[in-house]
C-alpha cells in the first residue's frame, strides 16, 4: 500500500463547476500538507501549504485537512479552462526529515 | 528574475553512456533536490543536498550520482548503471529542508 493515495483521473468537469480533489494517507504523523499544480511538460508549482488540520483559502482555492480521517482535499471554485492540469498532493513531517511524500497526481480537465 | 533553470530541455542517451543534467538556482537556497517522474507515478526522490559539499541518497539513488560544489548548482549524472533512465527529471530547491520546494522546468531524458 502506498503511503499517499491519489486517484489519477482524468477528472473532467464543465467550466464554472466546483472541483474537489482528494488524497488519503496512512502515516498519522504527517503534519505539513501541500498541493502543487503541474501543467503538461512543466515543473510543479506550489498552490497551497497547510500545517496540521483545518482549512486554508486563497482566492478560488481552498485546502482542507482532516487528520482524524487522514484525508486532504483541494477545492477549486468557478473552475476555468486554465485550471486544466495535474494536481499533486505532498506531505511530510519531522520524522521523515521533511522529505516530501507525493501522491501520483490527478489529471483535471475543465471543458469550456 | 529569481528562479531555477534546468538544461537541456530534452536529452538523448545512448546505451552505455553517462549523461549529466544541469540545475542552477539563484534563489540563495541552501537545499536542492533531484526527482524522477514517471507516467502515473508521484515524484520519487533521487538525491538531495542540504548544504554545499554534502548530499544524501533518496529512495532511488542507484545508477545516479550528484555533486554540490557550489551553492547554486546541483548537477545530476545518469550513469550507464541506470537501466531504465527514460523519465522526466525535476530539480527543486528550498530555503531549508522544512521549507517550500520550488521546481525547475524539468529535463526529459530519452534513450536511443
Amino acid at each position: 500500500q502506498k503511503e499517499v493515495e491519489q486517484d489519477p483521473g482524468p477528472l473532467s468537469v464543465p467550466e464554472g463547476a466546483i472541483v474537489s480533489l482528494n488524497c488519503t494517507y496512512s502515516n498519522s504523523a504527517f503534519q505539513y500538507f501541500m498541493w502543487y499544480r503541474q501543467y503538461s511538460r512543466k515543473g510543479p508549482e506550489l498552490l497551497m501549504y497547510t500545517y496540521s488540520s483545518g482549512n486554508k483559502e486563497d482566492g478560488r482555492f481552498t485546502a482542507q485537512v482532516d487528520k482524524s480521517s487522514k484525508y486532504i482535499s483541494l477545492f477549486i471554485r468557478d473552475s476555468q479552462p486554465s485550471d486544466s492540469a495535474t494536481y499533486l498532493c505532498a506531505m511530510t513531517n519531522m520524522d521523515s526529515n521533511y522529505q516530501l511524500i507525493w501522491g501520483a497526481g490527478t489529471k483535471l480537465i475543465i471543458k469550456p | 528574475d529569481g528562479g531555477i533553470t534546468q538544461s537541456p530541455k530534452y536529452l538523448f542517451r545512448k546505451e552505455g553512456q553517462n549523461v549529466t543534467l544541469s540545475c542552477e538556482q539563484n534563489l540563495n537556497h541552501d537545499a536542492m533536490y533531484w526527482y524522477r517522474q514517471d507516467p502515473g507515478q508521484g515524484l520519487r526522490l533521487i538525491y538531495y543536498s542540504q548544504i554545499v559539499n554534502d548530499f544524501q541518497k533518496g529512495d532511488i539513488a542507484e545508477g545516479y550520482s550528484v555533486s554540490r560544489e557550489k551553492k547554486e548548482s546541483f548537477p545530476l549524472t545518469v550513469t550507464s548503471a541506470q537501466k531504465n533512465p527514460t523519465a522526466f527529471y525535476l530539480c527543486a530547491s528550498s530555503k531549508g529542508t522544512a521549507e517550500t520546494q520550488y521546481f525547475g522546468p524539468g529535463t526529459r531524458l530519452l534513450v536511443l
Side-chain angles (χ1 to χ4, degrees):
Chain A
Q1 184 191 5
K2 293 182 182 178
E3 271 194 286
V4 179
E5 298 277 1
Q6 188 176 8
D7 188 331
L11 176 62
S12 183
V13 301
E15 182 177 356
I18 296 175
V19 175
S20 173
L21 302 165
N22 312 295
C23 288
T24 58
Y25 61 94
S26 56
N27 186 349
S28 58
F30 285 141
Q31 297 171 293
Y32 302 89
F33 304 90
M34 286 137 271
W35 285 97
Y36 281 81
R37 178 176 61 195
Q38 185 177 25
Y39 291 113
S40 183
R41 301 179 189 278
K42 304 287 185 186
E45 56 179 327
L46 182 70
L47 274 179
M48 302 288 281
Y49 185 110
T50 313
Y51 172 70
S52 194
S53 283
N55 291 0
K56 186 175 183 180
E57 189 173 320
D58 185 1
R60 296 185 296 112
F61 298 90
T62 299
Q64 197 173 76
V65 176
D66 182 347
K67 290 195 74 180
S68 61
S69 301
K70 289 184 274 187
Y71 189 90
I72 67 170
S73 300
L74 177 71
F75 298 97
I76 307 174
R77 290 183 298 281
D78 187 25
S79 56
Q80 306 293 312
S82 59
D83 294 327
S84 298
T86 296
Y87 290 79
L88 298 147
C89 65
M91 48 199 78
T92 189
N93 68 327
M94 186 174 64
D95 293 342
S96 60
N97 198 25
Y98 298 109
Q99 288 186 38
L100 295 182
I101 309 301
W102 294 84
T106 298
K107 184 172 183 177
L108 175 65
I109 300 169
I110 307 297
K111 299 177 292 184
Chain B
D1 274 338
I4 304 174
T5 57
Q6 291 186 241
S7 63
K9 191 171 181 179
Y10 295 96
L11 186 57
F12 298 92
R13 193 191 90 164
K14 294 180 182 177
E15 291 286 341
Q17 188 180 40
N18 293 353
V19 292
T20 297
L21 285 62
S22 168
C23 177
E24 304 274 333
Q25 54 98 0
N26 61 3
L27 300 167
N28 199 32
H29 284 171
D30 288 315
M32 296 187 75
Y33 312 81
W34 274 106
Y35 291 94
R36 170 179 172 142
Q37 187 176 33
D38 294 281
Q41 294 193 40
L43 278 64
R44 292 185 290 169
L45 184 64
I46 303 172
Y47 269 98
Y48 66 102
S49 168
Q50 295 173 297
I51 55 172
V52 174
N53 292 322
D54 186 54
F55 48 83
Q56 284 79 40
K57 293 181 179 180
D59 299 322
I60 55 166
E62 187 174 346
Y64 300 97
S65 65
V66 294
S67 62
R68 186 88 188 275
E69 296 175 4
K70 298 188 294 182
K71 187 175 185 177
E72 57 271 20
S73 179
F74 191 39
L76 173 74
T77 297
V78 183
T79 74
S80 57
Q82 173 49 244
K83 297 307 178 188
N84 184 23
T86 298
F88 190 47
Y89 290 87
L90 288 158
C91 178
S93 72
S94 64
K95 214 170 181 181
T97 48
E99 306 282 342
T100 300
Q101 292 185 21
Y102 296 89
F103 284 82
T107 292
R108 190 164 298 275
L109 176 60
L110 300 164
V111 176
L112 294 176

